[in-house]
Amino acid sequence: MLKAIGIALCGVLAFASVQATAQELTYPKKNITVIIPKNPGGGTDTSARLTLEYAKKYLPDGVIFVPENKPAGNGVTGLVEAAHARPDGETLVMTTVELAMFPHQNKSPVDYKNFTGLFAPIADPCALVVKADAPYQTLEEFVQYAKDHPGEVQVANSGTGAIYDLATTNMEQQLGIKLKHIPYSEGIGPAIASLVGGHVDAVITTPGAAKPQIDAGALKMLGVMDSKRFALFPDVPTFNEALGAGTDTQMRAWAAIAGPADLPDDISSQLVAAFQAVAADPDFQTAMKNQGIMPSTMTGEEVQAMMKADDEMYAKLIAETKSE
């Protein structure tokens, strides 16, 4: 009992320490603009606004975060504007996984090297979801079924060339199967609805997006594309667990607040400390989960490393797709 109390007290003290560090944020003299290169109301917009709501307590009196939705050009316009902003910490941007994809699809002139990663409140793995009464109840059975029916299994995604479409391609390449890609340019919501209605055989999505239908018993998740299991579905195996080591299918849909490249260390360190405090805030974690989002705690160098790793992965994957 005493040990448990000691552990809990250490956690409280650690959280208080992070808060104390974050409260030293002093650099902004003007409001901080945060560009959101997505339409209002989506997961990226929601997570950005929730993060800023909890981070505002660390700003000096009279200074606020000003979120601005700039979805033009599939978000590229907002990314370019943020990349070219003065590196003074007064303009930030909510980058997304498309930052790692678009440069290799000739859709964007900027990449991760144009930004300083600060905080990724979202970093959810892709997952394979099927109907609860599908003829395959495990990931192994799905792969075998796909091998026995090449090109017949219909897998829905959120649009040609988007993350879930590329995740499907990654599955094909890694697992030696051929699937039929069914794009839904309206987004992953209609793709999931189509699966529930029995119009497709499977969907690649993030776990949280399909959680209501899974909880209701209509759908079943067979595996997650990550190095570890996903906290919302601890009983669902990773692809590596289900199919054996070496099944390199790690794919994640992330959103990360960043500043322009060459952001001074004194500014970036203050922002990272503030976002670390936000990430550790139980109320923030609950608010994110209530929106169907499993909050990530990646900050600073972790975020930059993730953006770099995904840029390299998509460069290879997209090049191989073009050569097919």
Side-chain angles (χ1 to χ4, degrees):
M1 181 67 173
L2 290 175
K3 182 179 180 181
I5 292 174
I7 292 172
L9 181 58
C10 287
V12 171
L13 291 175
F15 179 46
S17 176
V18 171
Q19 281 191 309
T21 301
Q23 287 169 352
E24 296 173 7
L25 190 106
T26 59
Y27 81 87
K29 305 301 181 184
K30 300 178 182 178
N31 293 340
I32 299 176
T33 298
V34 181
I35 297 171
I36 305 174
K38 298 286 185 179
N39 287 308
T44 300
D45 181 67
T46 298
S47 63
R49 291 176 184 272
L50 272 176
T51 300
L52 300 179
E53 179 65 24
Y54 282 87
K56 69 181 182 182
K57 69 181 74 172
Y58 305 115
L59 292 177
D61 290 340
V63 177
I64 62 172
F65 288 108
V66 182
E68 294 185 1
N69 293 89
K70 296 190 176 183
N74 211 2
V76 173
T77 300
L79 288 173
V80 171
E81 179 180 335
H84 293 161
R86 291 180 58 186
D88 55 10
E90 293 180 3
T91 301
L92 306 178
V93 61
M94 187 63 144
T95 63
T96 61
V97 66
E98 284 82 10
L99 178 66
M101 298 161 52
F102 283 175
H104 310 295
Q105 296 170 320
N106 298 318
K107 295 179 180 178
S108 174
V110 298
D111 62 20
Y112 77 95
K113 295 186 291 293
N114 296 103
F115 298 96
T116 300
L118 300 170
F119 176 42
I122 300 177
D124 287 354
C126 293
L128 177 65
V129 178
V130 301
K131 289 202 71 176
D133 60 356
Y136 23 76
Q137 289 297 300
T138 66
L139 189 55
E140 299 96 317
E141 292 177 358
F142 176 88
V143 173
Q144 187 58 55
Y145 187 94
K147 288 181 177 179
D148 294 340
H149 302 80
E152 295 181 16
V153 179
Q154 297 182 321
V155 181
N157 60 65
S158 58
T160 301
I163 179 173
Y164 304 129
D165 181 37
L166 291 174
T168 305
T169 298
N170 195 17
M171 280 179 54
E172 292 176 307
Q173 294 180 352
Q174 296 292 332
L175 306 179
I177 58 179
K178 183 62 178 176
L179 304 167
K180 187 172 183 179
H181 297 228
I182 308 296
Y184 285 79
S185 58
E186 304 91 345
I188 201 61
I192 293 172
S194 183
L195 176 60
V196 172
H199 305 296
V200 295
D201 302 306
V203 66
I204 298 292
T205 180
T206 51
K211 190 175 187 301
Q213 295 84 356
I214 294 172
D215 290 345
L219 302 180
K220 177 182 177 67
M221 188 177 302
L222 299 185
V224 293
M225 299 180 178
D226 204 353
S227 59
K228 62 184 182 301
R229 296 193 179 196
F230 191 63
L232 286 180
F233 295 94
D235 295 331
V236 177
T238 67
F239 273 55
N240 277 8
E241 287 178 313
L243 304 175
T247 309
D248 187 15
T249 55
Q250 183 166 323
M251 304 276 285
R252 51 198 165 189
W254 49 263
I257 295 177
D262 301 322
L263 199 63
D265 288 344
D266 64 320
I267 291 178
S268 62
S269 62
Q270 290 183 59
L271 285 167
V272 167
F275 289 131
Q276 285 174 334
V278 172
D281 188 331
D283 291 338
F284 169 74
Q285 295 170 9
T286 298
M288 290 284 279
K289 291 175 184 177
N290 287 342
Q291 295 294 326
I293 301 169
M294 191 67 193
S296 160
T297 59
M298 283 193 289
T299 57
E301 292 182 0
E302 292 177 295
V303 177
Q304 200 70 23
M306 176 186 69
M307 294 194 296
K308 180 177 184 294
D310 275 17
D311 182 89
E312 293 171 351
M313 182 269 292
Y314 281 111
K316 182 174 182 293
L317 179 60
I318 292 170
E320 291 174 349
T321 302
K322 289 178 180 178
S323 65
E324 292 179 353

